[in-house]
Amino acid sequence: MTKALIVIDVQESFRARPSWKAVGNPDIAKPVQALIDTARAAGDLVIWILHSEPGTGGVFDPSSGHVRPFAELSPADGEPILTKTSRNAFTTTNLQQLLTAAGIHELTLCGIQTEQCVETTARVGADFGYTITFVTDATTTFPIAHRSAPADLTVDELLADPRTLPVADIISRTEYALAGRFATVTTVSELTGS
């Protein structure tokens, strides 16, 4: 086994936020499950990453009950579940040690949010020497408010603001930033052959 699928932050915390109604792909579990099925069939390790913000009282606080994989996605026995408190999956976990111990050199990444935790993990992983495959359509994210927009915008106000960066643009920019530098950018169908 030299490959691992890293499932990043596909967790109920996101669905518990009002911003979920603006997510780019509310059915993100389907392409993620396709990657999980493919990885398991190939004998690759599947590693689950969850984001946690202890003590905040928000949806990423473990006490909220939302810091768990989507209900329709189930880690199999023996698949590691790591909890991080940083944007990337390496800094605050033992991910690198786990990968080294397993002899893994190639990582396939999917999850939430495209330009934050998934992209940041790709960049850090590439810097650590891993071969990274970034599966764009098995990631999703949210529109981003303009830097001068008020911090307390409602979802409707965010979507109505013409300065808001739409999800398609965010994903496109991530692809441009990663491809040929930090990762091979691909799609679920290209990777699974379906």
Side-chain angles (χ1 to χ4, degrees):
M1 175 186 334
T2 62
K3 296 181 182 179
L5 172 66
I6 314 295
V7 180
I8 302 171
D9 301 350
V10 185
Q11 65 190 72
E12 293 293 347
S13 306
F14 284 107
R15 294 203 284 207
R17 291 167 48 182
S19 61
W20 185 253
K21 74 179 190 177
V23 75
N25 180 7
D27 294 325
I28 186 66
K30 291 177 184 174
V32 169
Q33 186 65 60
L35 293 180
I36 292 167
D37 294 343
T38 300
R40 288 174 179 162
D44 297 339
L45 183 61
V46 177
I47 301 173
W48 300 76
I49 307 292
L50 298 173
H51 185 77
S52 177
E53 297 173 359
T56 62
V59 296
F60 289 94
D61 188 324
S63 67
S64 72
H66 299 298
V67 182
R68 56 188 164 79
F70 278 7
E72 62 271 36
L73 299 176
S74 298
D77 290 343
E79 292 177 347
I81 303 172
L82 307 179
T83 303
K84 65 179 178 61
T85 56
S86 63
R87 298 248 194 274
N88 76 80
F90 288 97
T91 303
T92 59
T93 71
N94 67 338
L95 177 60
Q96 187 174 13
Q97 293 87 349
L98 191 155
L99 296 170
T100 300
I104 292 170
H105 306 287
E106 299 177 46
L107 307 180
T108 300
L109 305 182
C110 63
I112 305 172
Q113 293 180 244
T114 308
E115 81 292 357
Q116 287 196 53
C117 297
V118 189
E119 179 179 341
T120 306
T121 299
R123 289 173 178 258
V124 173
D127 281 351
F128 284 155
Y130 295 100
T131 300
I132 307 292
T133 300
F134 190 92
V135 190
T136 303
D137 59 344
T139 73
T140 196
T141 195
F142 303 87
I144 298 175
H146 188 268
R147 67 181 181 277
S148 65
D152 60 350
L153 286 177
T154 66
V155 174
D156 291 336
E157 290 168 336
L158 172 72
L159 295 174
D161 187 337
R163 301 170 303 165
T164 295
L165 189 62
V167 168
D169 290 356
I170 297 165
I171 292 173
S172 177
R173 289 171 188 216
T174 293
E175 290 177 334
Y176 273 95
L178 293 179
R181 295 175 185 87
F182 299 98
T184 298
V185 175
T186 191
T187 63
V188 173
S189 62
E190 289 170 340
L191 201 60
T192 64
S194 59

